[in-house]
Amino acid sequence: MQGRRLVILFSLFLFCFAFLLIHLAFIQMGRGSDYAFLALERETQPVLLEEYPRGEILDRRLQPLTGSFDANRVVVFPGLIRDRQAVITSLAGILGLPVEKIAPYFDGQPCYLPFSLTPGQVKAIREHQWPGVLVLPVHLRYGPAPLAAGVVGYLGRVQSREVLDALSVKSRKSYSLSDWVGQAGLEKYYEGELKATRPKSAARLFVDAAGRPIPGLGVAVDLQSMDPGRQHLVTTLDARIQRVVEEIMDRRIKKGAVVVMEPHTGDILALASRPCYDPRPGGLARYLTLGETGTFTDQTTALFTPGSVFKVVVAAAALAEGIVKPDSQFNCRGSLDQPVRCWYDPGHGVVSFSQAFAESCNPVFARVGLKLGAGKLIDYAGRFGLDNQTITGYPVPRDGRQNWQVVAAPHNLVNSSLGQGPVLATPVQITAMMNVIVNDGVYVQPRLVRELRNDVGQVTRSFPPGPGHRAIPASTAAQVKEMLKLVTTEGVGRKAYVPGYGSAGKTGSAQVDGRGKVNAWFTGYAPLQDPRYVVTVLVEEGTSGGETAAPVFREIMEKILTLPLE
């Protein structure tokens, strides 16, 4: 009996000991690095050598869209500096700055000075070898020309305790009121993934329990740490194309949007809107100080009246349903026509359906729309994705104003057939609509985000291309292609024709008030053979699609078609 008790007791102790060993092994292997980092934080005064410790937002070629880069900065540890005033005076002389601008950085916690350095200044500072003053590379998030700001978003301080608690619960990461977090766009939508859990580079001063520097240990510099918590977002954007688009917009579009899409895949290669803020520190304040008006909303995903670009859907539906043929004959009486007049007062006379499309003849499309009926019009709008605001990887909240059932209300059908009245669409949706024609009748959902990667480049989450479906027969898409070609060669969109490559598309001039202001559209593709890009241009308060948007489309296409293929 006594032997049995000893065996049981020994087994119990063995089990407890094994449990403790397993638990310790779990702590060591699973959380060991986390606890080691927390211990290091308690034992040191760190200077984080990152402007904003968080993951990068990258284009399809893994280039940072914010323009992040490394640059030398002066790092100071006030507790190690013996003759503080002498150092401040000498450093101010080297940097060419007033002493009072530098002195505050020597009174508090260790930090880096936010002043650019020339190679000569770097050499002069290092030659002095001041204890507590170093020159080290700092990772700066924003370059001189950040791209896609309206999509990438911007950063701001945590505003309240409620926001702090919500962030901590949602991402399960540690936050403080001093943290910079995403306030809009991808920075906000992927805050939990982008947020860093530890710095990738830092300089550390070892201190005792009272915060005094420990003699002999000096400053430890680590420039190549890995952060297991942060992730990097890889988008479908192409920085080269995005830069071309934004440079042209800055010259030619005060208010509006441009979308560039890759045919067949639905991947968005450029997404830009104006007006737009500067995401760099102080950029929003400068924007407001200049008295700029407008909204920080991403215009590419905002709803607008599309005007005659919607005639692509009307034409495709009428052709697919057998209501018309490309050579069907109509009579346009211009300003005398009913139920709507034509923009061309003398009238186009007897025209084929293809010619009416090329000239954007409203009376013809009003009649075709009435024959088609509200039910078919609503059905085909859905087939072309105009009821789907989803963009793969870009979770913009849906705008409930887009309600296609209103088209069926009394007296709405004629205006809806012209892309007016209750018809609303985003520039991204219009681009996806045109992509249906390029794709021989197949709709593909737009995609903006490709994947998330960890610090060592491993893909942690993929965003496969969105769902697709056949919207119209391939034969109908081929007929519409021929009509789109007429727009740029013989019709109202001739200013969108791209010499040497050819292009096709559709103009739109959506009335926004009773004083002649219109939202000018052009959406199309190039080259004619084997198209490489689908581009939509929206210019708010323009003259007309053919006069205002078409030339911008041509200039963008001329520039991006010369870029080397990947």
Side-chain angles (χ1 to χ4, degrees):
M1 180 66 69
Q2 187 176 5
R4 185 184 302 172
R5 288 176 179 170
L6 287 173
V7 169
I8 293 172
L9 187 62
F10 177 78
S11 299
L12 181 63
F13 276 114
L14 185 63
F15 173 78
C16 293
F17 185 69
F19 176 78
L20 287 173
L21 281 177
I22 292 171
H23 185 62
L24 287 172
F26 172 77
I27 292 175
Q28 181 65 32
M29 292 185 291
R31 299 294 306 277
S33 63
D34 293 336
Y35 289 127
F37 173 71
L38 291 174
L40 185 64
E41 287 285 284
R42 286 195 299 268
E43 296 167 356
T44 61
Q45 289 182 349
V47 176
L48 306 187
L49 302 178
E50 291 184 90
E51 185 180 24
Y52 301 102
R54 58 195 289 114
E56 301 281 6
I57 298 177
L58 308 167
D59 83 337
R60 66 198 290 117
R61 294 158 57 243
L62 306 183
Q63 300 300 308
L65 291 167
T66 58
S68 60
F69 66 103
D70 291 338
N72 284 319
R73 292 291 184 266
V74 177
V75 178
V76 296
F77 289 87
L80 294 178
I81 299 173
R82 301 188 187 95
D83 190 345
R84 190 171 301 180
Q85 191 57 49
V87 171
I88 292 172
T89 302
S90 297
L91 183 60
I94 293 172
L95 298 180
L97 295 170
V99 169
E100 56 270 19
K101 197 166 184 177
I102 293 176
Y105 296 100
F106 288 76
D107 291 334
Q109 293 296 313
C111 63
Y112 68 81
L113 279 58
F115 308 119
S116 299
L117 300 175
T118 66
Q121 290 170 333
V122 170
K123 182 180 179 182
I125 295 168
R126 284 175 173 165
E127 285 176 349
H128 277 82
Q129 296 184 347
W130 291 307
V133 179
L134 301 87
V135 177
L136 296 171
V138 175
H139 187 71
L140 304 173
R141 189 167 186 81
Y142 296 104
L147 295 171
V151 178
V152 170
Y154 62 95
L155 304 175
R157 297 278 191 186
V158 176
Q159 297 296 317
S160 65
R161 176 62 61 177
E162 291 74 20
V163 172
L164 182 69
D165 294 340
L167 286 168
S168 299
V169 170
K170 187 176 180 180
S171 72
R172 297 182 181 179
K173 291 181 179 179
S174 177
Y175 283 89
S176 67
L177 288 172
S178 63
D179 281 347
W180 290 79
V181 298
Q183 302 290 334
L186 295 171
E187 294 276 23
K188 178 180 180 180
Y189 297 139
Y190 291 92
E191 169 60 34
E193 290 83 0
L194 294 169
K195 163 77 173 173
T197 56
R198 64 186 66 176
K200 292 180 67 172
S201 56
R204 298 179 179 278
L205 174 64
F206 287 88
V207 295
D208 60 19
R212 297 183 296 261
I214 298 176
L217 292 183
V219 176
V221 178
D222 184 1
L223 300 178
Q224 294 183 332
S225 289
M226 289 294 176
D227 179 4
R230 79 176 73 188
Q231 297 185 65
H232 308 280
L233 193 69
V234 182
T235 70
T236 62
L237 298 176
D238 187 320
R240 304 170 306 164
I241 296 175
Q242 184 75 31
R243 186 172 292 106
V244 167
V245 167
E246 295 199 25
E247 288 174 353
I248 292 172
M249 289 186 77
D250 286 338
R251 288 189 285 104
R252 305 193 64 161
I253 301 178
K254 186 173 182 180
K255 295 175 65 178
V258 172
V259 180
V260 181
M261 183 176 286
E262 184 177 62
H264 314 305
T265 67
D267 282 357
I268 297 173
L269 303 178
L271 209 57
S273 62
R274 294 293 183 269
C276 192
Y277 49 79
D278 183 345
R280 292 174 292 181
L284 292 178
R286 286 193 296 272
Y287 180 94
L288 297 173
T289 301
L290 292 172
E292 295 285 352
T293 58
T295 174
F296 291 156
T297 303
D298 175 15
Q299 306 284 67
T300 63
T301 57
L303 291 175
F304 296 91
T305 303
S308 292
V309 293
F310 182 65
K311 290 174 183 174
V312 172
V313 174
V314 180
L319 290 166
E321 293 295 321
I323 292 172
V324 296
K325 296 180 180 179
D327 58 356
S328 296
Q329 299 293 298
F330 295 86
N331 184 29
C332 169
R333 298 188 299 142
S335 60
L336 301 177
D337 222 318
Q338 294 293 332
V340 293
R341 58 176 291 164
C342 186
W343 64 269
Y344 184 55
D345 287 344
H348 295 104
V350 178
V351 291
S352 68
F353 185 59
S354 292
Q355 291 171 319
F357 184 87
E359 295 294 343
S360 203
C361 181
N362 286 339
V364 170
F365 275 83
R367 291 173 213 156
V368 170
L370 288 171
K371 276 190 177 183
L372 191 62
K376 289 292 184 184
L377 193 61
I378 294 169
D379 175 37
Y380 276 87
R383 294 189 193 191
F384 275 81
L386 296 180
D387 62 349
N388 179 18
Q389 296 178 26
T390 303
I391 301 172
T392 302
Y394 191 38
V396 178
R398 176 180 172 79
D399 190 330
R401 293 177 300 152
Q402 190 176 56
N403 180 8
W404 285 95
Q405 298 309 311
V406 182
V407 172
H411 315 298
N412 277 348
L413 182 53
V414 169
N415 278 338
S416 297
S417 302
L418 310 178
Q420 297 279 168
V423 176
L424 295 171
T426 72
V428 170
Q429 286 180 315
I430 294 298
T431 312
M433 173 201 77
M434 181 58 66
N435 198 29
V436 170
I437 306 301
V438 178
N439 285 347
D440 298 323
V442 175
Y443 169 83
V444 180
Q445 181 172 289
R447 180 172 71 155
L448 182 64
V449 175
R450 195 172 74 194
E451 62 198 22
L452 283 160
R453 296 185 174 198
N454 62 19
D455 237 9
V456 295
Q458 296 172 329
V459 176
T460 59
R461 181 182 174 191
S462 294
F463 297 80
H469 61 260
R470 177 156 292 283
I472 55 175
S475 58
T476 301
Q479 291 175 317
V480 177
K481 283 181 183 177
E482 292 301 315
M483 295 164 62
L484 291 168
K485 195 188 307 182
L486 283 177
V487 172
T488 58
T489 54
E490 300 178 15
V492 291
R494 289 188 293 273
K495 291 186 178 181
Y497 188 79
V498 182
Y501 295 93
S503 57
K506 185 69 188 78
T507 60
S509 303
Q511 296 180 6
V512 294
D513 60 21
R515 293 172 291 180
K517 288 185 178 180
V518 302
N519 285 342
W521 293 82
F522 190 89
T523 181
Y525 57 89
L528 280 175
Q529 302 299 320
D530 192 18
R532 284 168 54 188
Y533 305 110
V534 181
V535 174
T536 296
V537 175
L538 166 64
V539 182
E540 296 182 58
E541 300 180 6
T543 303
S544 69
E547 293 295 322
T548 311
V552 177
F553 169 90
R554 183 186 64 210
E555 184 176 353
I556 290 172
M557 277 295 192
E558 287 176 336
K559 293 285 179 64
I560 65 178
L561 284 169
T562 61
L563 295 173
L565 294 172
E566 293 182 338

